[in-house]
Amino acid sequence: MPGEHDNRTPARPKPARGAKGRRRARSGARPERAHVHRPFTPQQLAQRAAAIPVVVFPDLPVSARRDEIAEAIRDHQVVIVSGETGSGKTTQLPKICLQLGRGVTGMIGHTQPRRLAARSVADRIAAELGQTVGRAPGQVVGYQVRFTDEVGPTTLVKLMTDGILLAEIQSDPMLERYDTLIIDEAHERSLNIDFILGYLARLLPARPDLKVIITSATIDSARFAEHFGRWDGPVGRGRPVEPAPVIEVSGRTFPVEIRYRPLGPTTPSSYTSEASSKQAEKPIEVIETTDVTESGPMQLVLEDPDDELATLGYGMGEDIDVETAICHAVDELSAEGDGDILVFLPGERDIRDTESALLDHLGARGVRAGEDRGALPGSIEILPLYARLTAAEQHRVFEPHRLRRVVLATNVAETSLTVPGIRYVVDPGLARISRYSNRTKVQRLPIEPISQASADQRAGRCGRVADGVAIRLYSQRDYEARPRFTEPEILRTSLASVILQMASLGLGPVEDFPFVDPPERRAVRDGVNLLVEIGALAPDGPSDRGPGRVGRPGSAPRSAE
């Protein structure tokens, strides 16, 4: 069908590049050299094929299913791999692709939501292949993040942030430099991920040789499977006929005991005024058993509901702040036995405040990161983990250590990477969530309660090496009142950057783009108005009929807000 073709393939990629070239020719500007993808010569292909190392698989849940996964990749253009964080899907899927002969004629592109994850995953895959990350000939694993490009002539597996792939679409609309794409952590549903997924849905019919693997931590994988399955009509607007194959992989998880330690007898949190007052009106579902209950493949064991701490918290009926509650939780977990403690916090300032509180609370037993020389037995090392740390400081979390550690991390440790040796988790139940106010036209990062799915992900981080304990600094009533999944970013943020990207690529109106969750028309209209206001689009810009003239394709609309 003509209509189906128009909605399933990238719109006018070559004319768009030609138009850009003509604009540059008129202005006298030189074309960007990095924008041209040249196929490999026979000599280069031979060199890349000779660089393929011997692939071995460690004892991980994904490794046990590698034959089934390989068969699905060989027989289908899109495969959904769903499994708990820690199942090994991030590190083993590229190796399965290498065994299938992928990565030679084009790279295996592997996206991560964060720079820290891209670097650490590249290091891990290279180590398992007996190599190091780099661009030297013979090295097959590289990575590219902002300001750093470690991709060489024999790079077969390229780790990168999803923002890097998004930027490459501008110069290589057909993504010809890749023969396989692994979109990792798709359940996070960031704006970049949703745009990439919609773009790939259009691109795949024009690139039958391109394989796409989408990984999801058991969150809403059925939605991805339907979106990338066969449709009778345009994707998202026609009738789904057959979903893409989904391979479920269980995480290697021991039972995790959940303990609720609210900050007060009724208040779910003292971090934010946005906590829902409706939670107090919901009846508490009393659980009168300590049997194992299932939350996906992860086993959660609830403590005795009559325990006073579960209803009154560490303050025994008095409100306390989060830092004080974390100090009490560290004391409680330290008495449980050996093992490191992972504490989730919303941001860098919260991590610094908690680090100071813990060092004051522990006294002589508290040790700052990297200062463990001469520390006495029984000391506890406090280790921050967030994006602005240097690569060496971030890598410290993966190094062997002799003291018990308390790792203070943002939600980068929720799904993007697995911190080794964690047996206990402290979860205040909060994170910074990007939101756009249509009324004030301001993009904010307020601290808000996380969803049930994110809370379960956090709890599962402590069941990787042995039975774990997760302490939630909120009540069971609060947990049950939370939404099941995190709302996709595209439904709560400004669409200006997406509209600008689509206009510069000539992809047509936003309403026709195959997003997994289409945005509201009001959000689209506000995004267009913002771009016109700051001069990024001409007044005759995108409308319901299609994109207009792009004023400044390289501008950053969010910074102008």
Side-chain angles (χ1 to χ4, degrees), residues 337-398:
D338 296 333
D340 294 341
I341 303 169
L342 175 61
V343 182
F344 287 97
L345 291 161
E348 178 181 345
R349 186 176 67 177
D350 309 293
I351 287 175
R352 291 304 182 193
D353 291 345
T354 303
E355 180 185 28
S356 299
L358 278 171
L359 290 171
D360 290 343
H361 176 75
L362 294 171
R365 292 192 303 139
V367 178
R368 292 186 183 274
E371 301 178 3
D372 56 336
R373 288 185 180 179
L376 299 174
S379 297
I380 298 177
E381 183 181 11
I382 313 300
L383 187 66
L385 180 63
Y386 52 88
R388 274 199 339 117
L389 291 173
T390 65
E393 290 172 324
Q394 292 173 347
H395 193 265
R396 188 179 289 149
V397 75
F398 303 105

Short mmCIF file of all heavy atoms in Angstrom, two decimals, residues 337-398:
data_model
loop_
_atom_site.label_atom_id
_atom_site.label_comp_id
_atom_site.label_asym_id
_atom_site.label_seq_id
_atom_site.Cartn_x
_atom_site.Cartn_y
_atom_site.Cartn_z
N GLY A 337 24.95 -9.25 58.47
CA GLY A 337 26.03 -10.09 57.98
C GLY A 337 26.88 -9.35 56.96
O GLY A 337 26.72 -8.14 56.76
N ASP A 338 27.79 -10.08 56.33
CA ASP A 338 28.69 -9.46 55.36
C ASP A 338 27.93 -9.06 54.09
O ASP A 338 26.86 -9.57 53.80
CB ASP A 338 29.82 -10.42 55.00
CG ASP A 338 30.72 -10.73 56.20
OD1 ASP A 338 30.79 -9.87 57.10
OD2 ASP A 338 31.30 -11.83 56.24
N GLY A 339 28.56 -8.17 53.34
CA GLY A 339 27.97 -7.75 52.07
C GLY A 339 27.87 -6.24 51.98
O GLY A 339 27.75 -5.55 53.00
N ASP A 340 27.92 -5.73 50.76
CA ASP A 340 27.87 -4.28 50.54
C ASP A 340 26.43 -3.80 50.49
O ASP A 340 25.49 -4.56 50.22
CB ASP A 340 28.59 -3.92 49.25
CG ASP A 340 30.09 -4.21 49.32
OD1 ASP A 340 30.61 -4.33 50.45
OD2 ASP A 340 30.72 -4.33 48.25
N ILE A 341 26.27 -2.50 50.71
CA ILE A 341 24.95 -1.86 50.77
C ILE A 341 24.86 -0.84 49.65
O ILE A 341 25.77 -0.01 49.47
CB ILE A 341 24.72 -1.18 52.14
CG1 ILE A 341 24.87 -2.19 53.27
CG2 ILE A 341 23.35 -0.51 52.19
CD1 ILE A 341 24.92 -1.55 54.67
N LEU A 342 23.78 -0.87 48.89
CA LEU A 342 23.53 0.08 47.81
C LEU A 342 22.38 0.99 48.21
O LEU A 342 21.28 0.51 48.52
CB LEU A 342 23.19 -0.65 46.50
CG LEU A 342 22.80 0.20 45.29
CD1 LEU A 342 23.92 1.15 44.89
CD2 LEU A 342 22.42 -0.70 44.11
N VAL A 343 22.64 2.30 48.23
CA VAL A 343 21.63 3.29 48.61
C VAL A 343 21.29 4.12 47.37
O VAL A 343 22.19 4.69 46.74
CB VAL A 343 22.13 4.20 49.75
CG1 VAL A 343 21.04 5.20 50.15
CG2 VAL A 343 22.57 3.37 50.95
N PHE A 344 20.01 4.19 47.03
CA PHE A 344 19.57 4.99 45.88
C PHE A 344 19.18 6.39 46.35
O PHE A 344 18.44 6.54 47.33
CB PHE A 344 18.37 4.34 45.19
CG PHE A 344 18.73 3.10 44.41
CD1 PHE A 344 18.57 1.85 44.98
CD2 PHE A 344 19.22 3.19 43.13
CE1 PHE A 344 18.89 0.70 44.26
CE2 PHE A 344 19.55 2.06 42.41
CZ PHE A 344 19.39 0.82 42.97
N LEU A 345 19.66 7.40 45.63
CA LEU A 345 19.36 8.79 45.96
C LEU A 345 19.06 9.57 44.69
O LEU A 345 19.51 9.20 43.60
CB LEU A 345 20.55 9.42 46.70
CG LEU A 345 20.78 8.85 48.12
CD1 LEU A 345 22.18 9.15 48.60
CD2 LEU A 345 19.76 9.41 49.09
N PRO A 346 18.29 10.67 44.79
CA PRO A 346 17.84 11.37 43.57
C PRO A 346 18.93 12.07 42.79
O PRO A 346 18.87 12.14 41.57
CB PRO A 346 16.82 12.38 44.11
CG PRO A 346 16.41 11.85 45.44
CD PRO A 346 17.60 11.16 45.99
N GLY A 347 19.95 12.63 43.47
CA GLY A 347 20.93 13.41 42.73
C GLY A 347 22.24 13.58 43.48
O GLY A 347 22.42 13.08 44.59
N GLU A 348 23.15 14.34 42.86
CA GLU A 348 24.50 14.51 43.42
C GLU A 348 24.45 15.20 44.77
O GLU A 348 25.16 14.81 45.71
CB GLU A 348 25.34 15.31 42.43
CG GLU A 348 26.76 15.58 42.92
CD GLU A 348 27.56 16.42 41.93
OE1 GLU A 348 27.13 16.54 40.77
OE2 GLU A 348 28.62 16.94 42.35
N ARG A 349 23.66 16.25 44.92
CA ARG A 349 23.61 16.96 46.19
C ARG A 349 23.10 16.05 47.31
O ARG A 349 23.62 16.08 48.43
CB ARG A 349 22.72 18.20 46.08
CG ARG A 349 22.74 19.06 47.34
CD ARG A 349 21.93 20.33 47.16
NE ARG A 349 20.51 20.04 47.03
CZ ARG A 349 19.56 20.98 46.92
NH1 ARG A 349 19.93 22.25 46.87
NH2 ARG A 349 18.30 20.66 46.79
N ASP A 350 22.10 15.23 47.00
CA ASP A 350 21.58 14.30 48.00
C ASP A 350 22.65 13.27 48.39
O ASP A 350 22.74 12.87 49.55
CB ASP A 350 20.34 13.59 47.44
CG ASP A 350 19.32 14.55 46.88
OD1 ASP A 350 18.74 15.30 47.68
OD2 ASP A 350 19.13 14.56 45.66
N ILE A 351 23.45 12.86 47.39
CA ILE A 351 24.53 11.90 47.68
C ILE A 351 25.56 12.55 48.61
O ILE A 351 26.01 11.92 49.59
CB ILE A 351 25.18 11.43 46.37
CG1 ILE A 351 24.23 10.48 45.63
CG2 ILE A 351 26.52 10.75 46.62
CD1 ILE A 351 24.72 10.05 44.26
N ARG A 352 25.94 13.79 48.34
CA ARG A 352 26.92 14.47 49.18
C ARG A 352 26.39 14.68 50.60
O ARG A 352 27.11 14.51 51.59
CB ARG A 352 27.31 15.81 48.56
CG ARG A 352 28.12 15.69 47.27
CD ARG A 352 29.37 14.86 47.48
NE ARG A 352 30.20 14.75 46.29
CZ ARG A 352 31.20 13.90 46.17
NH1 ARG A 352 31.48 13.07 47.17
NH2 ARG A 352 31.90 13.84 45.06
N ASP A 353 25.12 15.07 50.72
CA ASP A 353 24.53 15.26 52.06
C ASP A 353 24.50 13.95 52.83
O ASP A 353 24.81 13.91 54.03
CB ASP A 353 23.11 15.82 51.93
CG ASP A 353 23.09 17.26 51.42
OD1 ASP A 353 24.16 17.91 51.44
OD2 ASP A 353 22.01 17.73 51.00
N THR A 354 24.13 12.87 52.15
CA THR A 354 24.06 11.57 52.82
C THR A 354 25.45 11.07 53.18
O THR A 354 25.66 10.46 54.24
CB THR A 354 23.34 10.55 51.91
OG1 THR A 354 22.04 11.05 51.58
CG2 THR A 354 23.21 9.21 52.61
N GLU A 355 26.43 11.33 52.30
CA GLU A 355 27.81 10.93 52.61
C GLU A 355 28.28 11.61 53.89
O GLU A 355 28.87 10.97 54.78
CB GLU A 355 28.71 11.30 51.44
CG GLU A 355 30.18 10.94 51.65
CD GLU A 355 31.07 11.43 50.52
OE1 GLU A 355 30.71 12.44 49.88
OE2 GLU A 355 32.13 10.81 50.28
N SER A 356 28.02 12.90 54.03
CA SER A 356 28.42 13.62 55.24
C SER A 356 27.70 13.09 56.46
O SER A 356 28.31 12.92 57.53
CB SER A 356 28.14 15.12 55.07
OG SER A 356 28.87 15.67 54.00
N ALA A 357 26.40 12.81 56.31
CA ALA A 357 25.63 12.30 57.44
C ALA A 357 26.16 10.94 57.89
O ALA A 357 26.27 10.67 59.10
CB ALA A 357 24.16 12.21 57.07
N LEU A 358 26.48 10.07 56.94
CA LEU A 358 26.99 8.74 57.29
C LEU A 358 28.37 8.82 57.95
O LEU A 358 28.65 8.10 58.92
CB LEU A 358 27.05 7.86 56.05
CG LEU A 358 25.75 7.20 55.61
CD1 LEU A 358 25.91 6.55 54.24
CD2 LEU A 358 25.30 6.16 56.64
N LEU A 359 29.25 9.68 57.42
CA LEU A 359 30.58 9.82 58.03
C LEU A 359 30.48 10.34 59.45
O LEU A 359 31.21 9.89 60.35
CB LEU A 359 31.45 10.74 57.16
CG LEU A 359 31.88 10.17 55.80
CD1 LEU A 359 32.54 11.25 54.96
CD2 LEU A 359 32.82 8.98 55.98
N ASP A 360 29.57 11.29 59.69
CA ASP A 360 29.36 11.78 61.06
C ASP A 360 28.78 10.68 61.94
O ASP A 360 29.18 10.52 63.10
CB ASP A 360 28.42 12.98 61.04
CG ASP A 360 29.08 14.21 60.42
OD1 ASP A 360 30.32 14.23 60.31
OD2 ASP A 360 28.33 15.14 60.03
N HIS A 361 27.83 9.92 61.40
CA HIS A 361 27.16 8.88 62.18
C HIS A 361 28.11 7.73 62.53
O HIS A 361 28.08 7.22 63.66
CB HIS A 361 25.96 8.35 61.39
CG HIS A 361 25.24 7.22 62.04
ND1 HIS A 361 24.40 7.39 63.12
CD2 HIS A 361 25.23 5.87 61.76
CE1 HIS A 361 23.90 6.21 63.49
NE2 HIS A 361 24.40 5.29 62.69
N LEU A 362 28.94 7.33 61.57
CA LEU A 362 29.83 6.19 61.80
C LEU A 362 31.08 6.56 62.59
O LEU A 362 31.73 5.68 63.16
CB LEU A 362 30.24 5.59 60.45
CG LEU A 362 29.11 4.95 59.63
CD1 LEU A 362 29.61 4.59 58.23
CD2 LEU A 362 28.56 3.71 60.33
N GLY A 363 31.44 7.84 62.61
CA GLY A 363 32.61 8.26 63.37
C GLY A 363 33.89 7.67 62.81
O GLY A 363 34.16 7.73 61.60
N ALA A 364 34.67 7.03 63.68
CA ALA A 364 35.97 6.47 63.27
C ALA A 364 35.81 5.32 62.30
O ALA A 364 36.75 4.97 61.57
CB ALA A 364 36.75 6.02 64.50
N ARG A 365 34.62 4.69 62.25
CA ARG A 365 34.40 3.56 61.34
C ARG A 365 34.13 4.01 59.92
O ARG A 365 34.19 3.22 58.99
CB ARG A 365 33.24 2.69 61.83
CG ARG A 365 33.51 1.95 63.12
CD ARG A 365 32.42 0.91 63.35
NE ARG A 365 31.08 1.52 63.37
CZ ARG A 365 30.00 0.99 62.80
NH1 ARG A 365 30.11 -0.15 62.14
NH2 ARG A 365 28.83 1.59 62.89
N GLY A 366 33.80 5.27 59.72
CA GLY A 366 33.49 5.77 58.39
C GLY A 366 34.74 6.15 57.62
O GLY A 366 35.62 6.85 58.14
N VAL A 367 34.83 5.69 56.38
CA VAL A 367 36.01 5.93 55.54
C VAL A 367 35.54 6.49 54.20
O VAL A 367 34.62 5.94 53.57
CB VAL A 367 36.81 4.63 55.31
CG1 VAL A 367 37.99 4.89 54.39
CG2 VAL A 367 37.26 4.03 56.64
N ARG A 368 36.17 7.58 53.77
CA ARG A 368 35.84 8.12 52.45
C ARG A 368 36.38 7.22 51.35
O ARG A 368 37.33 6.47 51.56
CB ARG A 368 36.42 9.53 52.29
CG ARG A 368 35.77 10.57 53.17
CD ARG A 368 36.31 11.96 52.85
NE ARG A 368 35.74 12.96 53.73
CZ ARG A 368 34.57 13.58 53.51
NH1 ARG A 368 33.88 13.29 52.40
NH2 ARG A 368 34.12 14.47 54.35
N ALA A 369 35.81 7.33 50.17
CA ALA A 369 36.23 6.50 49.04
C ALA A 369 37.71 6.74 48.73
O ALA A 369 38.17 7.88 48.64
CB ALA A 369 35.38 6.82 47.81
N GLY A 370 38.46 5.64 48.56
CA GLY A 370 39.86 5.73 48.22
C GLY A 370 40.79 6.02 49.36
O GLY A 370 42.00 6.14 49.16
N GLU A 371 40.26 6.15 50.60
CA GLU A 371 41.09 6.46 51.77
C GLU A 371 41.10 5.30 52.76
O GLU A 371 41.09 5.50 53.97
CB GLU A 371 40.60 7.74 52.44
CG GLU A 371 40.63 8.97 51.54
CD GLU A 371 40.08 10.22 52.22
OE1 GLU A 371 39.74 10.11 53.43
OE2 GLU A 371 40.00 11.28 51.58
N ASP A 372 41.07 4.06 52.24
CA ASP A 372 40.93 2.90 53.11
C ASP A 372 42.26 2.38 53.64
O ASP A 372 42.29 1.41 54.39
CB ASP A 372 40.20 1.77 52.37
CG ASP A 372 40.89 1.39 51.07
OD1 ASP A 372 41.60 2.24 50.53
OD2 ASP A 372 40.70 0.25 50.61
N ARG A 373 43.38 2.98 53.24
CA ARG A 373 44.66 2.52 53.76
C ARG A 373 44.74 2.79 55.27
O ARG A 373 44.50 3.90 55.73
CB ARG A 373 45.82 3.23 53.07
CG ARG A 373 46.03 2.79 51.62
CD ARG A 373 47.27 3.44 51.03
NE ARG A 373 47.49 3.02 49.65
CZ ARG A 373 48.49 3.45 48.89
NH1 ARG A 373 49.36 4.31 49.39
NH2 ARG A 373 48.62 3.02 47.65
N GLY A 374 45.09 1.75 56.00
CA GLY A 374 45.20 1.88 57.44
C GLY A 374 43.87 1.85 58.16
O GLY A 374 43.83 2.04 59.39
N ALA A 375 42.78 1.63 57.44
CA ALA A 375 41.47 1.57 58.09
C ALA A 375 41.38 0.33 58.97
O ALA A 375 41.90 -0.74 58.64
CB ALA A 375 40.36 1.55 57.05
N LEU A 376 40.72 0.45 60.10
CA LEU A 376 40.59 -0.65 61.04
C LEU A 376 39.56 -1.66 60.55
O LEU A 376 38.64 -1.30 59.80
CB LEU A 376 40.16 -0.11 62.41
CG LEU A 376 41.13 0.88 63.07
CD1 LEU A 376 40.52 1.44 64.36
CD2 LEU A 376 42.46 0.20 63.36
N PRO A 377 39.68 -2.92 60.96
CA PRO A 377 38.66 -3.91 60.62
C PRO A 377 37.29 -3.45 61.14
O PRO A 377 37.19 -2.89 62.24
CB PRO A 377 39.14 -5.18 61.33
CG PRO A 377 40.62 -4.98 61.50
CD PRO A 377 40.82 -3.52 61.70
N GLY A 378 36.27 -3.70 60.37
CA GLY A 378 34.94 -3.26 60.74
C GLY A 378 34.59 -1.88 60.23
O GLY A 378 33.46 -1.41 60.42
N SER A 379 35.55 -1.21 59.57
CA SER A 379 35.27 0.10 59.00
C SER A 379 34.37 -0.05 57.77
O SER A 379 34.29 -1.11 57.15
CB SER A 379 36.57 0.81 58.61
OG SER A 379 37.36 1.06 59.75
N ILE A 380 33.72 1.04 57.41
CA ILE A 380 32.79 1.04 56.27
C ILE A 380 33.21 2.15 55.31
O ILE A 380 33.33 3.32 55.71
CB ILE A 380 31.33 1.24 56.74
CG1 ILE A 380 30.90 0.09 57.65
CG2 ILE A 380 30.40 1.36 55.54
CD1 ILE A 380 29.50 0.25 58.22
N GLU A 381 33.43 1.80 54.05
CA GLU A 381 33.82 2.77 53.03
C GLU A 381 32.58 3.34 52.36
O GLU A 381 31.69 2.60 51.94
CB GLU A 381 34.71 2.10 51.99
CG GLU A 381 35.23 3.06 50.92
CD GLU A 381 36.09 2.37 49.87
OE1 GLU A 381 36.12 1.12 49.84
OE2 GLU A 381 36.73 3.08 49.08
N ILE A 382 32.51 4.66 52.27
CA ILE A 382 31.38 5.35 51.65
C ILE A 382 31.78 5.73 50.23
O ILE A 382 32.73 6.51 50.04
CB ILE A 382 30.97 6.61 52.44
CG1 ILE A 382 30.87 6.30 53.94
CG2 ILE A 382 29.65 7.16 51.90
CD1 ILE A 382 29.85 5.23 54.28
N LEU A 383 31.08 5.20 49.24
CA LEU A 383 31.49 5.35 47.84
C LEU A 383 30.37 5.99 47.02
O LEU A 383 29.35 5.36 46.75
CB LEU A 383 31.83 3.97 47.26
CG LEU A 383 32.43 3.95 45.85
CD1 LEU A 383 33.80 4.61 45.85
CD2 LEU A 383 32.55 2.51 45.36
N PRO A 384 30.52 7.26 46.59
CA PRO A 384 29.50 7.89 45.73
C PRO A 384 29.59 7.35 44.30
O PRO A 384 30.66 6.96 43.83
CB PRO A 384 29.87 9.37 45.78
CG PRO A 384 30.89 9.52 46.87
CD PRO A 384 31.57 8.20 46.98
N LEU A 385 28.46 7.39 43.59
CA LEU A 385 28.42 6.97 42.19
C LEU A 385 27.37 7.80 41.46
O LEU A 385 26.17 7.62 41.66
CB LEU A 385 28.08 5.48 42.08
CG LEU A 385 28.02 4.91 40.66
CD1 LEU A 385 29.37 5.00 39.97
CD2 LEU A 385 27.52 3.47 40.67
N TYR A 386 27.87 8.73 40.61
CA TYR A 386 26.96 9.55 39.82
C TYR A 386 27.69 10.00 38.56
O TYR A 386 28.91 9.78 38.41
CB TYR A 386 26.44 10.75 40.61
CG TYR A 386 27.50 11.60 41.27
CD1 TYR A 386 28.10 12.66 40.60
CD2 TYR A 386 27.90 11.34 42.58
CE1 TYR A 386 29.07 13.44 41.19
CE2 TYR A 386 28.88 12.12 43.19
CZ TYR A 386 29.46 13.16 42.50
OH TYR A 386 30.43 13.93 43.10
N ALA A 387 26.98 10.63 37.65
CA ALA A 387 27.49 10.84 36.29
C ALA A 387 28.66 11.81 36.23
O ALA A 387 29.53 11.67 35.37
CB ALA A 387 26.36 11.34 35.39
N ARG A 388 28.74 12.81 37.12
CA ARG A 388 29.77 13.84 36.99
C ARG A 388 31.13 13.42 37.53
O ARG A 388 32.10 14.16 37.40
CB ARG A 388 29.32 15.12 37.70
CG ARG A 388 28.48 16.00 36.83
CD ARG A 388 28.36 17.45 37.29
NE ARG A 388 28.65 17.68 38.68
CZ ARG A 388 29.66 18.44 39.09
NH1 ARG A 388 30.49 18.99 38.22
NH2 ARG A 388 29.85 18.66 40.38
N LEU A 389 31.22 12.25 38.15
CA LEU A 389 32.51 11.76 38.62
C LEU A 389 33.42 11.45 37.43
O LEU A 389 32.95 11.17 36.32
CB LEU A 389 32.33 10.50 39.46
CG LEU A 389 31.65 10.65 40.82
CD1 LEU A 389 31.39 9.28 41.43
CD2 LEU A 389 32.49 11.50 41.77
N THR A 390 34.72 11.47 37.65
CA THR A 390 35.65 11.10 36.59
C THR A 390 35.51 9.61 36.30
O THR A 390 34.97 8.84 37.12
CB THR A 390 37.09 11.40 37.00
OG1 THR A 390 37.45 10.57 38.12
CG2 THR A 390 37.25 12.87 37.40
N ALA A 391 36.02 9.19 35.15
CA ALA A 391 35.93 7.78 34.78
C ALA A 391 36.65 6.90 35.80
O ALA A 391 36.17 5.80 36.14
CB ALA A 391 36.53 7.57 33.38
N ALA A 392 37.79 7.37 36.33
CA ALA A 392 38.52 6.59 37.32
C ALA A 392 37.72 6.45 38.61
O ALA A 392 37.68 5.37 39.24
CB ALA A 392 39.87 7.24 37.61
N GLU A 393 37.06 7.53 39.03
CA GLU A 393 36.24 7.48 40.25
C GLU A 393 35.03 6.57 40.06
O GLU A 393 34.63 5.85 40.99
CB GLU A 393 35.80 8.89 40.64
CG GLU A 393 36.93 9.77 41.14
CD GLU A 393 36.48 11.21 41.33
OE1 GLU A 393 35.66 11.70 40.51
OE2 GLU A 393 36.96 11.86 42.27
N GLN A 394 34.44 6.60 38.87
CA GLN A 394 33.30 5.73 38.61
C GLN A 394 33.72 4.27 38.56
O GLN A 394 32.99 3.38 39.02
CB GLN A 394 32.63 6.13 37.28
CG GLN A 394 31.94 7.48 37.33
CD GLN A 394 31.45 7.93 35.96
OE1 GLN A 394 31.82 7.35 34.94
NE2 GLN A 394 30.61 8.95 35.93
N HIS A 395 34.90 4.01 37.99
CA HIS A 395 35.36 2.63 37.84
C HIS A 395 35.72 2.01 39.18
O HIS A 395 35.79 0.78 39.30
CB HIS A 395 36.57 2.59 36.90
CG HIS A 395 36.92 1.21 36.44
ND1 HIS A 395 37.87 0.43 37.08
CD2 HIS A 395 36.43 0.44 35.43
CE1 HIS A 395 37.96 -0.75 36.48
NE2 HIS A 395 37.10 -0.75 35.48
N ARG A 396 35.93 2.82 40.21
CA ARG A 396 36.30 2.31 41.52
C ARG A 396 35.26 1.34 42.08
O ARG A 396 35.58 0.43 42.83
CB ARG A 396 36.50 3.49 42.49
CG ARG A 396 37.07 3.11 43.84
CD ARG A 396 37.23 4.35 44.69
NE ARG A 396 38.31 5.18 44.20
CZ ARG A 396 38.34 6.51 44.30
NH1 ARG A 396 37.32 7.15 44.85
NH2 ARG A 396 39.37 7.19 43.84
N VAL A 397 33.99 1.53 41.66
CA VAL A 397 32.93 0.68 42.20
C VAL A 397 33.08 -0.77 41.75
O VAL A 397 32.56 -1.69 42.39
CB VAL A 397 31.55 1.24 41.79
CG1 VAL A 397 31.25 0.97 40.34
CG2 VAL A 397 30.44 0.68 42.67
N PHE A 398 33.81 -1.00 40.64
CA PHE A 398 33.99 -2.35 40.12
C PHE A 398 35.28 -3.01 40.63
O PHE A 398 35.52 -4.18 40.35
CB PHE A 398 34.02 -2.34 38.59
CG PHE A 398 32.78 -1.74 37.97
CD1 PHE A 398 32.81 -0.48 37.41
CD2 PHE A 398 31.58 -2.45 37.98
CE1 PHE A 398 31.67 0.08 36.84
CE2 PHE A 398 30.45 -1.90 37.41
CZ PHE A 398 30.49 -0.63 36.85
#
